[in-house]
Amino acid sequence: MAAYDKADLERRMAGSVEALKHDLGGLRTGRASTALLDPITVEVYGAHMPLNQVATVSAPEPRMLSVQVWDKSNIGPVEKAIRSAGLGLNPINDGNTLRLPIPDLTEERRKELAKLAGSYAEKARIAARNVRRDGMDSLKTDEKKGVYSEDERKRHETEVQKLTDSTIADIDAAAQSKEKEILGQ
């Protein structure tokens, strides 16, 4: 049985692109997006829980998010978690709901967000390269076991490299698109 599994490598590389797109979706571009609050965890009931497990997040207006907390006793911890998340949001508590006006992005903040998008992309590139390394290692192991000849191994290595190149191109395209959106170009 061969350790090299092309379908598994494709799935893992596609996963690194999807993870990047999810991370980029949380970056603010001046429009309200419910994905902005996805990374926030709230300390409730003695545990850290994702915000979307204690409240409903919606975008009723283009520059406003609304957080409807299900259990009123959790409004304080949710408000605290949003304030301390470093997103530059200031919740307005009106009893049952937290309203989050999305402020205009300053030029400095846009540059910070563009830099953050670049670091997310680099993490995704590293993940893709790690998948490539795993694939290459398994091909070499298979060759030593006699599963593949040297020519077959080289042919498969070329496939793995093409897959890696294509994945990194997808990562770069997603990051460049988000940076342009953030910088308003």
Side-chain angles (χ1 to χ4, degrees):
M1 175 64 196
Y4 170 71
D5 181 354
K6 184 179 178 189
D8 181 55
L9 294 178
E10 287 172 345
R11 181 187 55 74
R12 288 170 56 199
M13 285 203 187
S16 67
V17 174
E18 285 309 306
L20 171 67
K21 287 182 178 173
H22 181 267
D23 287 345
L24 292 177
L27 288 182
R28 219 155 48 94
T29 57
R31 289 190 307 271
S33 164
T34 57
L36 180 62
L37 302 180
D38 283 352
I40 295 178
T41 58
V42 183
E43 193 169 341
V44 288
Y45 311 121
H48 287 276
M49 299 176 76
L51 179 64
N52 62 10
Q53 289 184 8
V54 295
T56 304
V57 179
S58 61
E61 300 169 32
R63 302 188 61 82
M64 176 79 69
L65 286 175
S66 172
V67 179
Q68 180 76 42
V69 183
W70 300 326
D71 181 350
K72 286 184 184 174
S73 66
N74 292 335
I75 287 182
V78 168
E79 185 175 358
K80 182 180 170 199
I82 293 170
R83 282 185 201 280
S84 62
L87 296 171
L89 298 176
N90 205 6
I92 299 167
N93 185 343
D94 63 8
N96 302 343
T97 309
L98 294 173
R99 289 178 301 132
L100 305 169
I102 307 294
D104 283 329
L105 290 174
T106 63
E107 189 59 31
E108 185 179 315
R109 183 68 179 141
R110 286 179 192 274
K111 287 179 180 164
E112 282 175 28
L113 290 173
K115 209 178 279 183
L116 189 57
S119 74
Y120 285 164
E122 186 54 31
K123 270 195 254 173
R125 283 187 212 99
I126 290 169
R129 289 186 200 117
N130 287 340
V131 173
R132 174 190 174 277
R133 188 193 61 228
D134 292 349
M136 296 296 195
D137 289 349
S138 64
L139 282 169
K140 287 176 183 149
T141 304
D142 287 349
E143 183 189 9
K144 285 179 186 159
K145 290 181 184 172
V147 177
Y148 294 125
S149 68
E150 184 179 352
D151 290 345
E152 285 175 308
R153 175 185 57 86
K154 287 182 178 174
R155 187 171 44 80
H156 286 305
E157 282 181 349
T158 305
E159 285 176 3
V160 172
Q161 187 58 51
K162 281 181 184 168
L163 178 62
T164 305
D165 293 344
S166 147
T167 301
I168 287 182
D170 290 348
I171 289 168
D172 290 344
Q176 285 175 342
S177 162
K178 188 65 175 187
E179 284 177 17
K180 278 184 181 166
E181 189 181 334
I182 289 169
L183 296 172
Q185 295 171 340

